Amino acid sequence: MLKVLLIDDEQWVVKSLKTIVDWESLGYEIIGEAFNGVDGYEQLRKLSPDLVFTDIRMPGMDGLELIRRGNELNKGISFVVTSGYKEFEYARKAMQYGALSYLLKPFDEEEFLVVLDQFGRKQSKNKTIWQMELVNRLQDPDEHSDRLLEELMGKLGFKWDEQFGAAVAVAIGSAELPIPTDVPCLALQTGRNVKAYIVRGDCIADLVESLADELPEFVAGVGISGVVHQSSHLMEAIDEADVAAYQYFVTGHKGVSHAIPPGGRLAELMEMLRQLNRTQRPELVDDLSVKIKTLIRESRFTIKTAASLYNWALLNVYKLEDEPLLTYQQLANRFESVNEMMAEWESLLRVYCDRTSVPPPPTTQVPTFNKIVAYIDEHFREDLSLQVVSESLNLHPSYVSQLFRKESSETFLQHVTRKRIAYARKQLTETNLSIQEISENAGYLDYFHFAKIFKKTVGQTASQYRDAVRGPS
């Protein structure tokens, strides 16, 4: 709901504003009213409304001063001026100060609806842009990051408080989390069916308590990070919560999980894998399996560890180099549980220990290579991986990777990335779809990953690229 503040020194005008339309059905909520400019400014500062309707001439502080001081708060607040015919020149001045529109008294309902519709559309578009700017800024920090992040969050309705800081709850699933109304929160879509909720640090316990009984039907898991007191550390909190959110993949049942403090177990497991790499002794696979099952039983195993182990096996068993690794989401989509994943992982390692099982490097086979390229070009917008392509064409992953290197100037990953980014650029130029929608359409389920790859490939963020080729709207 968009938040509205009404300010006028005549009570009948405020009453008229409250009753002229069905605010709730239009997606608006009136959160406050004031009858002079001074009180109006105080409410504006405390409540951070999205839209303010203000009279021009009021005691204490007139509407022009209110707008000027409101703009200085840098909270992304918009203003609509209400005026009589004698104040028309003041209304024009207010427009120069950045007021969205002005409405003459007495109010016309149709004109009022037009203003609300225009603002709703503008706010929806701005919110999408600010969210993507926030995504870009979170993963590309610099010395100005704290200030810029806090400004962006302010525009999105979340006031950063250094004293309390913030924690993050990440939810996996298509349903919204039922956030208590008194919990300051900013929801940020970070991927398909993945949402991060930035919550003021002193309120995260209230959120966890509200979720304790039962999660919404279409939410598989929720992860809770620790509290951070610098906004530039929010990305670390999002990563923490993201790992914890997939704990349902490890435990086999949905629920709320807190971030597990990092330990030395992954390093120990990776050292055992390096030993396996040197010796290829099958008994090391058994030792690894026992240790991992113990970690799972003791609730010290996460999807981050699972992804590291599984991707190591893929890279080393299939002799891959610059190929896409499976993300948490891809692992959770590919396997029913961590036990199913570990069964395949063990099988991969046993294959690795059999030195005769890996196929020899390919000879030149242009027809097969052309078939691989055709498959990629048809399916690059899907959740594609080297394994998916190999299984679909009944080929060995190592064979596909090596054949790509032999017959092309690109690796498998480079080819897929080039196709996806070219498609994204075309959509940014020719459509009005949101960047999140374009990310999914181009085959990227993780918006942070898309933002990072796009900027690395093009040299600009997706928003900057769209503005450069189309001009800012």
Side-chain angles (χ1 to χ4, degrees), residues 126-135 156 187-188 436:
N126 284 342
K127 185 177 180 180
T128 300
I129 293 171
W130 294 332
Q131 284 186 334
M132 283 310 300
E133 286 181 6
L134 185 57
V135 166
L156 290 164
L188 188 65
Q436 287 95 332

Side-chain angles (χ1 to χ4, degrees), residues 142-160:
D142 57 32
E143 65 271 21
H144 306 296
S145 287
D146 286 315
R147 176 179 60 82
L148 295 172
L149 284 170
E150 288 158 27
E151 287 178 2
L152 282 168
M153 288 188 285
K155 291 178 179 179
L156 290 164
F158 183 84
K159 182 179 179 182
W160 182 264

Side-chain angles (χ1 to χ4, degrees), residues 23 67 106 127 145 206 288 300 313 320 402 452:
W23 292 91
I67 295 171
K127 185 177 180 180
S145 287
D206 295 335
L288 277 162
R300 291 189 292 159
L320 309 179
Q402 294 180 56
K452 182 178 180 179

